[in-house]
Amino acid sequence: MALSTLSALAHEKRLNSKFVRDEDERPKVAYNQFSDVIPVISLAGIDDSAGRRSEICRKIVEACEDWGIFQVVDHGVDTTLVSEMSRLAREFFALPAEEKLRFDMTGGKKGGFIVSSHLQGEVVQDWREIVTYFSYPIRARDYSRWPDKPEGWMAATEVYSEKLMGLACKLLEVLSEAMGLEKEALTKACVDMDQKVVVNYYPKCPQPELTLGLKRHTDPGTITLLLQDQVGGLQATRDGGKTWITVQPVEGAFVVNLGDHGHYLSNGRFKNADHQAVVNSNYSRLSIATFQNPAPDATVYPLKIREGEKSVIEEPITFAEMYKRKMSKDLELARIKKLAKLQQDQELEMKSKGPREIFA
Ligand SMILES: O=C1C[C@@H](c2ccc(O)c(O)c2)Oc2cc(O)cc(O)c21
Ligand SMILES: O=C(O)CCC(=O)C(=O)O
Ligand SMILES: [Fe+2]
């Protein structure tokens, strides 16, 4: 059975088996057990080179070296626009299934609505619905894949995309300077920057301890700006998934995280944040991720290799190739995991049966 939306499953008592994760992948920390280790940085005064700028830049760079994640407030994106975006996004997910499915993107359509994972071939499903649209470069926009409901959504998303592109470029300027390069170095390395907006909706979940809203990953692109509501669920790890922290939601803030491209361009100096989203049975949750990616044919190679360092990348490759390799690696890992699980189940079955039953 193909999944249409999660609404029906959300009302069941037990979690549908398609969403049940292996024990090692299940949440280790609650969605609302917040940590304050991820810094919240005010950008007020960032354009004033004689004033607070150097202090702000220092904090941003420290956070990128430490976790690859920080939050920004006083970022200059209008608060009314931000709350309009959240309100309209929530209204979209509250539409009847057939309205959302008018934008169904199964079968590889570029943008629209889909349930769960974007990775075909994943064995276990993520407990989320998404609506996504490609906003930059402007010439590549396909408005027929942008939802036309609720009213006002399209106009709000256009302005939102433009403002977030501006904020992302400003943050990349800070990181370029920290690498001892010209301000535009990172944006230039993206050639013609792509932007993709993914709105994640995580319905209430009957057994949240068995599943994830979005499995552990690093974002592939340069930098991601995430707007989250006050529920909580975004988690990060710095030790390969042994321990996790839940990011404290801050009203009106953007969570900023670096992706693989940002990590490689800095030759590993800036971390690509390793993160996931957990769900809960009390509240549904909404987050809006704005991915800033390089153009597919942009070259991926460190912009600066410090003395005594080796490049983290063997040879220059295109972003399209980097993305393809990441996807195949993710799928290969999923395949190995599935095989290992099958084998383990078979061994358990053999052990539970006596030799007479097996050879009978
Ligand atoms: O949905 C996501 C999450 C994330 C991601 C990308 C690639 C992976 O292999 C992975 O495990 C997670 O970043 C994204 C980047 C995009 O451009 C689109 C997405 O839908 C996503
Ligand atoms: O919803 C969240 O908190 C995380 C979303 C995310 O990591 C993503 O969309 O890539
Ligand atoms: Fe992510």
Side-chain angles (χ1 to χ4, degrees), residues 227-342:
L227 179 69
Q228 63 165 335
D229 63 19
Q230 295 302 294
V231 173
L234 171 63
Q235 301 190 329
T237 179
R238 273 198 308 187
D239 55 14
K242 278 199 218 70
T243 59
W244 289 91
I245 59 102
T246 309
V247 176
Q248 164 97 57
V250 173
E251 188 82 51
F254 288 106
V255 182
V256 181
N257 73 264
L258 290 188
D260 301 337
H261 183 242
H263 175 73
Y264 292 139
L265 291 194
S266 69
N267 202 33
R269 175 176 168 196
F270 302 139
K271 298 243 172 81
N272 44 351
D274 197 351
H275 58 289
Q276 67 180 15
V278 300
V279 292
N280 71 89
S281 55
N282 301 317
Y283 306 98
S284 60
R285 174 170 178 259
L286 187 93
S287 74
I288 306 179
T290 303
F291 298 103
Q292 300 286 149
N293 295 344
D297 57 357
T299 305
V300 185
Y301 199 73
L303 293 180
K304 177 125 190 194
I305 302 176
R306 292 193 286 190
E307 242 187 75
E309 281 180 356
K310 240 182 91 204
S311 170
V312 289
I313 290 206
E314 266 175 35
E315 52 173 9
I317 51 168
T318 63
F319 180 66
E321 181 58 28
M322 193 205 102
Y323 196 92
K324 206 171 97 194
R325 287 187 197 173
K326 180 184 175 74
M327 293 299 162
S328 345
K329 203 167 138 196
D330 281 1
L331 285 176
E332 181 59 13
L333 283 175
R335 203 182 61 83
I336 292 171
K337 232 181 142 107
K338 189 180 168 186
L339 275 175
K341 173 112 190 0
L342 259 168

Side-chain angles (χ1 to χ4, degrees), residues 95-108:
L95 289 171
E98 59 273 20
E99 274 295 339
K100 295 191 269 189
L101 290 165
R102 279 178 50 227
F103 295 93
D104 187 8
M105 57 187 262
T106 40

Side-chain angles (χ1 to χ4, degrees), residues 118-119 128 196 198 217 219-220 291 293 323 326-327 330:
H118 59 287
L119 276 183
R128 68 165 179 168
K196 180 181 176 179
V198 176
H217 66 281
D219 294 342
F291 298 103
N293 295 344
Y323 196 92
K326 180 184 175 74
M327 293 299 162
D330 281 1

Side-chain angles (χ1 to χ4, degrees), residues 134-284:
F134 294 76
S135 34
Y136 282 90
I138 293 179
R139 60 178 146 58
R141 280 185 191 177
D142 176 358
Y143 287 110
S144 75
R145 304 298 313 161
W146 291 35
D148 51 3
K149 279 189 189 162
E151 206 193 318
W153 165 252
M154 235 203 250
T157 47
E158 264 190 316
V159 187
Y160 185 83
S161 290
E162 187 193 329
K163 299 296 175 201
L164 266 73
M165 174 61 87
L167 177 57
C169 290
K170 193 170 272 199
L171 294 168
L172 290 179
E173 283 182 10
V174 171
L175 298 182
S176 302
E177 283 186 336
M179 287 164 67
L181 304 168
E182 57 161 332
K183 265 185 170 184
E184 291 77 27
L186 282 164
T187 40
K188 276 188 186 163
C190 293
V191 184
D192 193 4
M193 206 184 276
D194 269 22
Q195 186 195 65
K196 180 181 176 179
V197 178
V198 176
V199 187
N200 298 294
Y201 176 67
Y202 307 98
K204 282 184 197 176
C205 178
Q207 291 181 291
E209 66 285 1
L210 301 181
T211 192
L212 289 171
L214 175 53
K215 72 175 268 193
R216 181 180 157 205
H217 66 281
T218 56
D219 294 342
T222 321
I223 195 166
T224 306
L225 306 183
L226 185 89
L227 179 69
Q228 63 165 335
D229 63 19
Q230 295 302 294
V231 173
L234 171 63
Q235 301 190 329
T237 179
R238 273 198 308 187
D239 55 14
K242 278 199 218 70
T243 59
W244 289 91
I245 59 102
T246 309
V247 176
Q248 164 97 57
V250 173
E251 188 82 51
F254 288 106
V255 182
V256 181
N257 73 264
L258 290 188
D260 301 337
H261 183 242
H263 175 73
Y264 292 139
L265 291 194
S266 69
N267 202 33
R269 175 176 168 196
F270 302 139
K271 298 243 172 81
N272 44 351
D274 197 351
H275 58 289
Q276 67 180 15
V278 300
V279 292
N280 71 89
S281 55
N282 301 317
Y283 306 98
S284 60

